[in-house]
Amino acid sequence: MAKSLLTPPPTTLAPIPFEDLVAQASAALPGSLQETGPGLLVALDIDGTLLTADGASQAVVDTIERLQRAGVNVVIATGRGVGATLPVLREVGIHDGWAVASNGAIVLRIVDGQHEVVSKRYFGPGPLIDQVAQHLPEAILAVEDDSPYYRVSREFPPRELIEDFQIDDLEGLKSKPVTKLVVRMPGMSVADFEARVNELDMLNLSYAIGWTAWMDVNAPDTTKAGSLEWLRGELGVPLTGSVAVGDGTNDMAMLRWAHHSVAMGGAVEQVRECANAVTGPVDYDGAAAVMEAILRRTATN
């Protein structure tokens, strides 16, 4: 599958044995967490959590498969659009279940490897696009709507936008409601990008800045957490049955939402503060260690 370059930089931590990570994850699990089975929902971010630049490890694929066999609701929760989420579902072996895409703006049901869009949240991008054009005229813009491709102001750097795209002018980008607006400034540092973004009136829209000068913008009050809470109710999962693992600022609401939340070892302090525990970085299969700990907890009870 096509890989994105927008993954966190490789860890600088010394290698951590997988069994050590499992032991740490096991010690962090709360006694109040539901047992493995249909009463458990495990929400997993993708980039920097399940995937490195080389894709998903065998440990990630194996632990997801075993959780699913145990009846656990394993839910991918990502900022990626639908076109970039579906290949990951296939790579990690999720052929039936649910996924939350575009930071919660889109909810997907997966049946026999086929997807159905269950819900979408739209907003009008025009006012913010006008601001960006004035204050960040060098920015690349992309919008996600009901088209089978992203519409972009110009091409992104190679491999950054996984989905198909079509170039459009600013008036075209503003012409209809969207589920996500992307603002990208190649070559600019994240710190400088954040400073420039802070000059904008974000109009109560939800937004998150990634590892590079890349910002996702969604409708007001749109987060992974909101869609996961709806899904928790839909599946009948109790409040004590939610687990979330993530590494980015777009995961912060999800980490605060879950009964048990784990930040990846590569996450910045701002993200770590939202979690109950921290695991190893994606390079050392930190997310797989959390899933392994959940599986072993039931086996030993």
Side-chain angles (χ1 to χ4, degrees):
M1 57 174 276
K3 303 296 192 301
S4 171
L5 294 174
L6 296 179
T7 53
T11 183
T12 57
L13 295 175
I16 307 171
F18 184 71
E19 285 299 323
D20 289 355
L21 291 176
V22 174
Q24 293 170 15
S26 296
L29 290 176
S32 55
L33 186 67
Q34 286 289 123
E35 294 294 323
T36 300
L40 192 63
L41 187 161
V42 177
L44 302 167
D45 173 50
I46 291 179
D47 299 289
T49 299
L50 297 184
L51 297 189
T52 67
D54 297 320
S57 71
Q58 193 59 51
V60 163
V61 174
D62 287 347
T63 48
I64 287 177
E65 193 272 333
R66 288 161 55 211
L67 280 176
Q68 290 182 112
R69 275 197 281 114
V72 175
N73 301 286
V74 181
V75 180
I76 295 299
T78 179
R80 292 182 177 219
V82 174
T85 300
L86 296 177
V88 177
L89 295 175
R90 292 191 289 270
E91 180 166 352
V92 302
I94 297 178
H95 306 294
D96 292 279
W98 297 81
V100 171
S102 294
N103 299 311
I106 300 174
V107 177
L108 303 172
R109 180 186 285 118
I110 315 299
V111 179
D112 291 333
Q114 302 300 309
H115 75 281
E116 171 195 1
V117 176
V118 174
S119 67
K120 285 188 174 185
R121 298 196 68 184
Y122 297 92
F123 70 100
L128 185 55
I129 287 177
D130 286 339
Q131 287 191 68
V132 173
Q134 180 179 354
H135 297 286
L136 291 166
E138 324 92 283
I140 306 174
L141 302 177
V143 295
E144 173 190 73
D145 53 30
D146 289 331
S147 306
Y149 45 77
Y150 271 57
R151 292 182 296 119
V152 305
S153 59
R154 67 177 191 273
E155 287 195 31
F156 278 62
R159 292 176 57 211
E160 283 196 358
L161 193 66
I162 299 172
E163 295 91 343
D164 293 334
F165 65 88
Q166 186 174 96
I167 294 176
D168 202 349
D169 59 24
L170 293 186
E171 290 306 312
L173 298 184
K174 298 189 302 182
S175 65
K176 54 185 176 179
V178 303
T179 47
K180 183 169 68 176
L181 167 68
V182 175
V183 181
R184 175 74 170 108
M185 287 286 290
M188 181 176 283
S189 71
V190 175
D192 288 345
F193 184 63
E194 283 188 295
R196 299 283 292 276
V197 166
N198 287 337
E199 297 172 358
L200 304 175
D201 178 357
M202 295 304 296
L203 307 168
N204 294 319
L205 295 168
S206 301
Y207 68 96
I209 296 172
W211 293 95
T212 62
W214 174 302
M215 178 172 67
D216 284 346
V217 184
N218 299 98
D221 301 319
T222 298
T223 63
K224 297 179 182 183
S227 290
L228 288 166
E229 175 59 17
W230 173 85
L231 183 56
R232 184 189 67 78
E234 188 77 4
L235 296 173
V237 172
L239 289 169
T240 54
S242 55
V243 177
V245 187
D247 74 309
T249 55
N250 63 337
D251 295 316
M252 291 168 62
M254 176 176 79
L255 294 174
R256 289 191 292 262
W257 161 82
H259 182 64
H260 180 58
S261 58
V262 185
M264 297 297 293
V268 298
E269 187 60 31
Q270 179 187 16
V271 176
R272 291 177 179 226
E273 290 174 354
C274 298
N276 305 124
V278 177
T279 187
V282 64
D283 314 60
Y284 302 149
D285 284 323
V290 174
M291 291 186 278
E292 182 66 37
I294 292 170
L295 287 160
R296 293 186 188 180
R297 174 177 176 268
T298 297
T300 57
N301 284 350

